[in-house]
Amino acid sequence: MTTDQLMGRRQVLLGRVAVAACAPYLLLKLLWVLGHDIGIVDVGGAGRGTWIVANVVTFLMDAVAAAIAYALTRPSGLRAPAWLLALPLWMASGLLTPLMISVPTGSAVAALTGAANPMASGDFLESWIYVLVYGAFIVEGLTLLSAFWFHAHRRWGALLRRRLESVPAPAPGVRAARRLLGVPAAVLLAVLGVVDVLWGLGMPTGPGGAALPARSVVTATSGVVQGLLALAGAAGLAALLFPHRGRLRRLRTRVPLALAWLGSATVFAWGGTMWLSWTVADALTGGGSASTGGLPGLAGALELVAGLVVLCLGTLTLAAETARSVPSSAPAPKAVGTY
């Protein structure tokens, strides 16, 4: 059995498990949309319409993840347009990776320190709902992202295994354009990462921060995790922008690329899109929330910008590298060898 066949079998198995892991969340959301209150204790100030809309949106998001996971189990997945798989998986990476780390870590810290754990309070949802949903998310995240890892190595293995010092230098104009956008994005990721870590550790959030919900041990852990991922993303992006400098030039491209991928996706998903959704909600309702103003609002807007810039840089770079390594008139060869 060739390496490509072995990776293909693992990819299919992981993709099928990811599809199955989506089922509990999708079923629960469907029941809530249809009016069943299973596991619900008190939705608080949210009206019925807001509750339904929120559940429809999150149902559709996980349905997309299930569809992508299914696509990774099919041979046609290797022929699908790269953006059709990479874009939703980038977003899924940003949503699921911090959750997979912060929920079990925050819960463990709460158990060891005796701090209150909002997931065990039963004020909003019954405790078993959190166990079901977050357990399914963790399995979904691990299997979905692992399946994509194998897919990426089968599709772009030669690029991913290449050492940074072996990356051909682009044309001077292209290199200047990449650094013109990439260097500020890396600096911004680093600054936002430091801010998130400090907020997670209890630093005041500045103007507008007093009106935000009180931190719990889980949300504090989540802030620290998101900040560390943003810092890792900044380091990965810097290594990709300057591949022939420093001690990291011996790294394979997949290492800094994975860091930049996860860091930028986390910042975009948990910071930028959250801020954007709150801003749109405020505009539609005529209200104002602390999350869209002051320092939290500024951070959210910058996270949105940083994520989009890195996404655009990655898309353009992948297109250029793929075009350079594979002639347009020839089919893409399968990647074989070690991984």
Side-chain angles (χ1 to χ4, degrees), residues 41-94:
V41 177
D42 182 13
V43 296
R48 194 69 186 179
T50 302
W51 175 252
I52 292 176
V53 170
N55 282 296
V56 168
V57 171
T58 49
F59 175 90
L60 292 175
M61 290 173 63
D62 206 44
V64 171
I68 294 298
Y70 176 75
L72 292 175
T73 69
R74 308 300 300 168
S76 58
L78 286 173
R79 301 189 297 271
W83 66 268
L84 191 60
L85 295 176
L87 182 58
L89 280 164
W90 179 71
M91 187 69 175
S93 301

Side-chain angles (χ1 to χ4, degrees), residues 158-238:
L159 300 178
L160 296 174
R161 291 191 298 271
R162 186 173 57 190
R163 298 191 185 277
L164 288 176
E165 62 184 0
S166 302
V167 175
V174 174
R175 179 173 54 191
R178 288 179 184 174
R179 293 180 179 177
L180 180 65
L181 295 174
V183 171
V187 172
L188 190 53
L189 283 176
V191 171
L192 292 169
V194 171
V195 170
D196 279 339
V197 169
L198 293 177
W199 284 357
L201 295 176
M203 186 193 81
T205 56
L212 291 174
R215 294 183 183 91
S216 68
V217 65
V218 176
T219 56
T221 303
S222 178
V224 173
V225 168
Q226 291 173 36
L228 293 177
L229 286 172
L231 289 170
L237 182 57

Side-chain angles (χ1 to χ4, degrees), residues 7-290:
M7 288 193 292
R9 288 193 175 186
R10 292 177 179 177
Q11 176 186 322
V12 170
L13 175 60
L14 289 165
R16 289 174 178 173
V17 175
V19 172
C22 293
Y25 186 79
L26 292 174
L27 177 60
L28 190 62
K29 289 291 180 175
L30 183 60
L31 290 174
W32 286 347
V33 169
L34 294 177
H36 297 276
D37 291 335
I38 180 173
I40 299 174
V41 177
D42 182 13
V43 296
R48 194 69 186 179
T50 302
W51 175 252
I52 292 176
V53 170
N55 282 296
V56 168
V57 171
T58 49
F59 175 90
L60 292 175
M61 290 173 63
D62 206 44
V64 171
I68 294 298
Y70 176 75
L72 292 175
T73 69
R74 308 300 300 168
S76 58
L78 286 173
R79 301 189 297 271
W83 66 268
L84 191 60
L85 295 176
L87 182 58
L89 280 164
W90 179 71
M91 187 69 175
S93 301
L95 289 171
L96 293 173
T97 302
L99 184 149
M100 289 188 293
I101 301 173
S102 60
V103 169
T105 303
S107 298
V109 171
L112 292 173
T113 61
N117 187 342
M119 294 186 296
S121 65
D123 296 334
F124 173 44
L125 299 173
E126 294 181 13
S127 299
W128 67 269
I129 292 289
Y130 291 106
V131 175
L132 175 67
V133 169
Y134 287 121
F137 275 158
I138 290 172
V139 174
E140 176 187 339
L142 289 173
T143 53
L144 178 61
L145 300 183
S146 296
F148 182 63
W149 174 269
F150 287 118
H151 172 91
H153 274 77
R154 296 177 68 199
R155 192 165 185 171
W156 304 294
L159 300 178
L160 296 174
R161 291 191 298 271
R162 186 173 57 190
R163 298 191 185 277
L164 288 176
E165 62 184 0
S166 302
V167 175
V174 174
R175 179 173 54 191
R178 288 179 184 174
R179 293 180 179 177
L180 180 65
L181 295 174
V183 171
V187 172
L188 190 53
L189 283 176
V191 171
L192 292 169
V194 171
V195 170
D196 279 339
V197 169
L198 293 177
W199 284 357
L201 295 176
M203 186 193 81
T205 56
L212 291 174
R215 294 183 183 91
S216 68
V217 65
V218 176
T219 56
T221 303
S222 178
V224 173
V225 168
Q226 291 173 36
L228 293 177
L229 286 172
L231 289 170
L237 182 57
L240 292 173
L241 291 171
F242 301 96
H244 305 109
R245 299 183 185 179
R247 298 179 179 179
L248 300 181
R249 64 182 183 274
R250 293 288 297 169
L251 285 176
R252 297 190 185 275
T253 302
R254 62 190 175 194
V255 176
L257 180 60
L259 294 179
W261 173 287
L262 291 176
S264 61
T266 297
V267 162
F268 180 80
W270 281 104
T273 56
M274 293 295 181
W275 168 82
L276 184 61
S277 63
W278 288 325
T279 301
V280 172
D282 287 348
L284 293 176
T285 61
S289 68

